[in-house]
Amino acid sequence: FQQRGAALLTVGIAAFSLWSLANGLGDLQEGLHAALVDYWLYMVILAATGLFIAAAYAGRLRAEHKMEEQLSFYDALIQAHSAVGEGVFSVQRGRIVYANAAMSQIFGYTTEELLAMDSYHQLVHPSDRERIAQRHAGRLHGESVETRYETKGLSKDGRELYIEVAAIMQRTAGEPRVTIVLLDITARKQAQSHLLLFQRVFEHTAEAILITDANRIVIEANHGFVDITGYTREEVVGRATDFLHS
């Protein structure tokens, strides 16, 4: 505001002086010569330049403030990803150039170790590296590839991890960069595997098995129960187990 105010004041004085000279007003006309006119014209130009610089400076301040707000938002977003255990990292020229805190929690490497890796492939299980490399190359060449998929990862201590991935490509200073958000779904996969195993045992065992809720209401019966008791599944599901004692 001070720079703009000073510039506007200078323009005002110069304009009034020139108007006075042109109309013969005030004491300024006495003894005035062409050099004074040149001086005030110079002041007008100088003030206009000051106004332009002040406006440009104010625009830069607004742009910097907006950029700071955006950076603050992105930083909060990255921290939120880490808080819920979602890893975020960026790959450029095949190397990791950024990794959030959750990446260390998932894979066991420090941030420094992640950034020092020769290739992001070190985080991918050997059995899946070729597929991931082809997908990455296709993305860089503008091919239509899946942006969300599952793959196998490899932790620092050699553990096999199941990873859900979402990847997007962007350009930084003209160079392509791929940013990946990933989630460790190993526990979910293990639970699904155990559930599938239980389901197979439940369906194929010759022994009679009933599954009930907390109120002893039947919610499922296997083939072994049907073969042994003669009840159909439809006859027992939804009933209390008291009928077994009648």
Side-chain angles (χ1 to χ4, degrees), residues 92-93 170-177:
Q92 196 165 28
R93 296 183 179 180
Q170 59 190 118
R171 290 193 174 274
T172 303
E175 290 193 20
R177 171 185 291 191

Side-chain angles (χ1 to χ4, degrees), residues 52-67:
F52 174 77
I53 293 174
Y57 180 72
R60 190 185 74 177
L61 286 179
R62 286 193 296 270
E64 289 179 351
H65 179 67
K66 186 175 181 179
M67 184 177 295

